[in-house]
Amino acid sequence: MSSQQGDTHTVEKKAAIKPPGLYKVLLLNDDYTPMEFVVLILKKFFSMTSEQATQVMLKVHRDGVGVCGVFAKDVATTKVELVAGFSRQNQHPLQCTMEEA
Ligand code: TYC
């Protein structure tokens, strides 16, 4: 970056700081996880209402994939881990993943 003030001329190099990326947390469809369990996950970990959770669950059921929310990388990572942990605890194969938004 270059700036001029009267006689002085300075050339500054901007530090290469990039803003933290955002990540979509995605749910994937499968043939075994009960619909009610997916709705519970969306309410419990993504703070959705029953209506919102049902809409997202049905979208995943229909299309194979759906977005639970968009978060900073560390938050998205934690949500993916929480969903996996809770699903395995309850013997469901539900898959949750993340990708850059
Ligand atoms: N397809 C599942 C069923 O018919 C329901 C389901 C929805 C599973 C969304 C996973 O992410 C999912 N029971």
Side-chain angles (χ1 to χ4, degrees), residues 27-35 38 57 60-61 94-95:
L27 269 189
L28 306 184
N29 189 34
D30 66 71
D31 291 338
Y32 305 103
T33 305
M35 290 184 172
V38 180
M57 180 280 295
V60 178
H61 178 69
L94 184 63
Q95 292 294 311

Side-chain angles (χ1 to χ4, degrees), residues 2-72:
S2 172
S3 60
Q4 198 123 29
Q5 283 178 315
D7 285 348
T8 62
H9 179 85
T10 50
V11 178
E12 307 149 24
K13 193 154 193 247
K14 261 252 169 88
I17 301 168
K18 57 176 186 156
L22 291 174
Y23 286 76
K24 290 188 273 192
V25 173
L26 306 170
L27 269 189
L28 306 184
N29 189 34
D30 66 71
D31 291 338
Y32 305 103
T33 305
M35 290 184 172
E36 311 79 62
F37 185 79
V38 180
V39 169
L40 174 64
I41 288 268
L42 291 165
K43 291 168 73 174
K44 184 176 174 69
F45 296 113
F46 299 93
S47 307
M48 292 188 193
T49 63
S50 295
E51 291 73 21
Q52 291 169 328
T54 301
Q55 289 305 306
V56 173
M57 180 280 295
L58 286 173
K59 197 253 181 232
V60 178
H61 178 69
R62 217 185 313 113
D63 301 345
V65 64
V67 179
C68 308
V70 177
F71 306 96

